[in-house]
Amino acid sequence: APALRIRDLCKTYDNGVQALRGVSLDVEPGDFYALLGPNGAGKSTLIGIISSLVNKTSGQVSVFGIDLEADRGAAMRQIGLVPQEINFNMFEKPLDILVNYAGFYGVPRAEALARAEQELRRAFLWDKARLMSRTLSGGMKRRLMIARAMMTRPRLLILDEPTAGVDIEIRRDMWRVLREINAAGTTIILTTHYLEEAESLCRNLAIIDRGTIVEQGPMRALLAKL
Ligand code: ADP
Ligand code: ADP
């Protein structure tokens, strides 16, 4: 089954805004997939529906063959979400943030500690494991958000504009972490409004504009058209 399968997805908000107007796409297991589009295109709405934060108006979403409506809990267990805003407790240490997060999802403490070390190393944060998170740089905080999402060992990692508003140095460090996660087998979907980011990271992409997919396919084929 595809990692993500979306059919005819529509979303109309209470105020009448049609954020999604019949979106269909497939993301294969192992892919690194970009959803590229300008502000207001519907990217956050799409991510919100996949991660069960936003109710769809109509259409189907399934994750590794599990229909979101049929078994939301099982579908959600496949997914790791990195939201746009940094939302961990600044007065906790990175190690505690990760271990507590895994604990919340039922991971036994010894296993959580082992995973936390692995994820902090992969995010170049192991030497910061016991600092107060408040003292981390903006880039480190972003990488900590990624490390935290990986603590539940999701098969599909979803990031909503993970590098919005950060400078190119910080973006490159985040790209390195994401490439490594993808190389280790996790399917990744990210939204971005930077073509450069999609180009550098992704094998396949969809371009979304005003709630409609206007192009989709392999990155190389699309670049050849631009
Ligand atoms: P509700 O109808 O559930 O009360 P709100 O209007 O409070 O929803 O909005 C929920 C969230 O969506 C808030 O974070 C708000 O800032 C954001 N939001 C509301 N309207 C828009 C809009 N037109 N564009 C983007 N975000 C919006
Ligand atoms: P993107 O992530 O691509 O910037 P969004 O999904 O945030 O796009 O927004 C798509 C459209 O839906 C925009 O017109 C936006 O103003 C509107 N929108 C987003 N959230 C809400 C909300 N909570 N209530 C009403 N309208 C919203």
Side-chain angles (χ1 to χ4, degrees), residues 25 39 43 54 74 80 94 101 107 113 126 141 144 147 200:
L25 54 86
N39 282 329
K43 303 183 298 297
V54 173
Y101 185 81
V107 180
L113 280 165
W126 182 235
K141 286 173 184 156
L144 183 56
S200 168

Side-chain angles (χ1 to χ4, degrees), residues 5-203:
R5 184 175 190 275
I6 294 179
R7 287 295 175 275
D8 300 320
L9 188 63
C10 296
K11 172 65 185 181
T12 304
Y13 283 104
D14 291 347
N15 62 359
V17 172
Q18 289 181 285
L20 299 175
R21 306 160 185 255
V23 167
S24 297
L25 54 86
D26 288 289
V27 178
E28 293 307 318
D31 203 353
F32 202 142
Y33 193 96
L35 191 64
L36 176 69
N39 282 329
K43 303 183 298 297
S44 295
T45 300
L46 187 67
I47 297 297
I49 292 171
I50 300 166
S51 50
S52 286
L53 302 171
V54 173
N55 289 317
K56 68 186 180 180
T57 302
S58 62
Q60 286 98 45
V61 179
S62 64
V63 181
F64 291 101
I66 305 164
D67 186 88
L68 206 60
E69 229 159 0
D71 195 345
R72 189 172 297 276
M76 287 305 104
R77 282 192 289 280
Q78 314 295 312
I79 294 178
L81 179 68
V82 181
Q84 237 175 56
E85 322 76 42
I86 291 166
N87 65 359
F88 52 74
N89 185 343
M90 293 293 163
F91 296 94
E92 284 181 14
K93 299 164 185 169
L95 185 65
D96 296 332
I97 290 170
L98 297 200
V99 170
N100 293 342
Y101 185 81
F104 179 80
Y105 286 97
V107 180
R109 186 166 175 86
E111 170 66 17
L113 280 165
R115 288 187 193 183
E117 176 171 353
Q118 186 196 349
E119 296 306 332
L120 288 168
R121 286 187 187 282
R122 181 150 70 181
F124 313 110
L125 291 172
W126 182 235
D127 59 334
K128 315 289 183 210
R130 291 178 173 81
L131 296 181
M132 195 66 83
S133 295
R134 182 169 42 87
T135 66
L136 301 179
S137 71
M140 292 174 193
K141 286 173 184 156
R142 298 278 185 144
R143 299 202 303 276
L144 183 56
M145 293 286 288
I146 298 173
R148 186 182 64 175
M150 291 304 296
M151 287 296 291
T152 59
R153 295 281 191 264
R155 295 168 74 194
L156 173 62
L157 182 66
I158 300 176
L159 305 99
D160 194 6
E161 306 225 20
T163 66
V166 304
D167 66 36
I168 187 67
E169 294 293 306
I170 295 177
R171 261 196 274 165
R172 294 228 163 96
D173 284 343
M174 293 176 67
W175 292 356
R176 209 176 305 162
V177 176
L178 292 175
R179 279 199 197 95
E180 202 162 311
I181 289 170
N182 179 243
T186 303
T187 309
I188 299 183
I189 300 174
L190 62 79
T191 70
T192 183
H193 56 263
Y194 302 111
L195 174 61
E196 184 205 359
E197 179 156 271
E199 190 181 344
S200 168
L201 286 173
C202 299
R203 271 184 293 279

